[in-house]
Amino acid sequence: MRLFFTLFISLFFLSSCKGQPNESVKQYVDAVVTGKNLWGLTTGGKIKIFDLNTNLSLGKNTNNLQDIVAIAKDHNGNIVVADSFHQIKAVDTVTLKLKRIARCDTDIFAVVFDSHNNCYSITAGGIIDIYHDHKYLPRFSLNKSVKYLPGKIGKPYTYFIDKDDNIWMGYGYGEWGGDLYVFSTKRKEFIQLTDGFFKDGIEPVKSIFEGNSNVYISTGLMHMLLSGSIIKVNDFKGDNIFVSSSYFHEADGKSHRNPDPQYIGPATFNPVDGCIYFYSQNSIYKGDPNKNLSTIGDWQKVVQLKLNWASGQHDAVGSPMNVLKMQFIGKNVLMIVTQNDGIGIYDGNIFALLH
């Protein structure tokens, strides 16, 4: 059986990969858009700015934007960054000068803004309300297999703040599953989710997003086999609308091999057509959440991308997901932050990579 698993993973890479990534290609961990410019955050902590009209680098001198660990945009369209010195700074988009907003006492993972433009930072010491200088830590976890250090939380794989100003943080621990926290900025407390939130177990969370007044979560795992899901959240309870795995159970109780399993990565919602879009090793798919989406046949293939995959995960057998983020940045314009190939822009016809 293990030989079959090994062959399965090997065939997956032979059919899906272009090879190992080119080390000369710039790698990014996040990107935000303001106006007609895209700001990409590299793995080296630098910022590169692109003109979305031409998809070319603006060539601005961003040498003062060094050691950046997080990038965000507030509700006024201002760029805000956090650096490795625990500082949060606003960036003048014309002069690129920095103005310090706050300093935290621990590592900063992300910066978000509520609907009133109040700033919160997700840090190793918890969520910090910047303007009131209060820190909040969760006291419970959905994943009983993972132990957290007292007074600490880990870096979330993904995060999101919804229309009700709840901060969602999703985690991934490979074969040990995932985790999920929700913090209410209005009530200033973490919302305790039920153990049954993930009906089929806690898989690594790949993205959290919102659409049609609902919050959705995508999960995915490669560990010997492939799996993934799209979850709709209602009143802080999860409901699977699509589940895929390498094997499934029929009514006869027997296990059958799935010929088209999906290793699901990030997903997002397109307000123009009202569809959910998700990325997997096979394609980008879209589906109308108002319809039945329980099988892959209910989803429509949008575009198949030829992206590089990296080998090796510290917590699972197989490859880490090679797309980190998906987001619509304009009318039917999809931004994709890849792990190995730069930042992708898909306008419905042409897929371009920014390096």
Side-chain angles (χ1 to χ4, degrees), residues 96-208:
L96 300 187
K97 291 183 178 179
L98 302 171
K99 179 181 179 181
R100 194 171 91 166
I101 297 175
R103 189 183 189 281
C104 300
D105 59 1
T106 187
D107 292 340
I108 300 172
F109 300 142
V111 177
V112 297
F113 293 86
D114 68 14
S115 58
H116 300 288
N117 223 25
N118 297 314
C119 182
Y120 293 81
S121 62
I122 302 173
T123 76
I127 290 180
I128 299 177
D129 180 342
I130 294 300
Y131 296 123
H132 297 97
D133 195 27
H134 289 306
K135 186 184 297 181
Y136 304 89
L137 266 171
R139 297 182 179 180
F140 39 80
S141 169
L142 292 178
N143 192 331
K144 308 307 179 186
S145 300
V146 178
K147 302 297 182 183
Y148 296 95
L149 295 174
K152 297 286 185 180
I153 61 173
K155 182 178 181 179
Y157 184 91
T158 185
Y159 59 91
F160 177 74
I161 186 164
D162 66 25
K163 62 179 179 56
D164 295 319
D165 292 334
N166 299 307
I167 300 173
W168 299 68
M169 300 185 298
Y171 291 80
Y173 302 109
E175 64 174 302
W176 288 277
D179 214 343
L180 182 69
Y181 293 105
V182 185
F183 177 76
S184 169
T185 63
K186 294 178 180 178
R187 290 156 42 186
K188 306 300 183 191
E189 64 181 13
F190 280 88
I191 297 170
Q192 186 161 3
L193 305 175
T194 64
D195 289 340
F197 185 95
F198 294 95
K199 290 181 170 53
D200 294 324
I202 311 172
E203 283 200 339
V205 178
K206 297 303 185 187
S207 66
I208 306 165

Side-chain angles (χ1 to χ4, degrees), residues 4 65 88 160-161 171-172 186 202 264 299 306 340 345:
F4 169 76
L65 291 169
I88 299 174
F160 177 74
I161 186 164
Y171 291 80
K186 294 178 180 178
I202 311 172
I264 295 178
W299 296 78
K306 295 182 179 180
N340 307 303
I345 303 294

Side-chain angles (χ1 to χ4, degrees), residues 26-34 37-43 46-50 52 68-73 78-81 111 159 323-329 334-339 342-345 354-355:
K26 293 286 187 180
Q27 304 304 302
Y28 296 85
V29 294
D30 202 358
V32 297
V33 172
T34 179
N37 293 337
L38 181 149
W39 293 54
L41 172 59
T42 73
T43 54
K46 298 180 180 180
I47 299 291
K48 195 167 183 179
I49 306 172
F50 297 89
L52 287 174
I68 305 300
V69 296
I71 187 168
K73 181 178 68 171
N78 301 309
I79 297 294
V80 176
V81 297
V111 177
Y159 59 91
V323 172
L324 306 176
K325 179 179 181 178
M326 286 177 59
Q327 180 182 342
F328 279 92
I329 59 174
L334 184 62
M335 177 184 74
I336 303 166
V337 180
T338 78
Q339 185 190 57
I343 300 170
I345 303 294
L354 314 183
H355 300 300

